[in-house]
Amino acid sequence: MYKRVETWPDDADGEVLRLLAESGFDFSAEVPIEFNVDVEEWPPEEALLAELRKHYDDVECVEAEDGDRFVQFVVTSRVSYELVTSVQRAATELAAPFGGWCDSWGANA
């Protein structure tokens, strides 16, 4: 059984989970979850991309229409607070030596 909506922490990740729940998101289904790694310098070092590819699928550099630039990777799993926060921590540890950090994610139903 998944946590009730009001038990998610009062932080950015908890807020995203609440918004997903309000939209009717199916937390029991495995879905592609996109995580974004921001970097201080663009383009990112090839060594960073290689390190991320050792651990994650679909690693790519994204240059959005709004000018935002980041490295994105995908984890296919059930969405949970524990999952998204642990992946963000792990990706930040991998990216930190290259001036990077991971603090955003998204999933679609």
Side-chain angles (χ1 to χ4, degrees):
M1 188 75 173
Y2 289 91
K3 290 182 178 182
R4 292 173 46 138
V5 172
E6 62 268 13
T7 64
W8 288 315
D10 187 21
D11 60 14
D13 296 310
E15 181 61 23
V16 172
L17 292 166
R18 280 186 284 282
L19 291 172
L20 286 172
E22 289 170 8
S23 72
F25 186 83
D26 180 2
F27 287 92
S28 68
E30 287 196 355
V31 297
I33 308 165
E34 297 172 338
F35 291 86
N36 301 329
V37 175
D38 294 302
V39 292
E40 293 172 1
E41 300 287 327
W42 193 263
E45 294 181 40
E46 284 300 319
L48 167 61
L49 300 175
E51 188 63 29
L52 290 171
R53 286 183 178 119
K54 290 179 188 176
H55 302 274
Y56 304 110
D57 295 328
D58 302 323
V59 175
E60 65 178 338
C61 295
V62 175
E63 295 189 42
E65 291 179 14
D66 65 1
D68 201 11
R69 299 182 296 190
F70 51 90
V71 178
Q72 187 173 79
F73 64 88
V74 175
V75 172
T76 300
S77 184
R78 288 186 287 209
V79 175
S80 71
Y81 183 84
E82 292 77 13
L83 175 88
V84 297
T85 56
S86 68
V87 170
Q88 288 178 102
R89 267 192 312 275
T92 294
E93 288 178 17
L94 294 171
F98 305 97
W101 64 95
C102 178
D103 64 3
S104 64
W105 61 277
N108 295 317

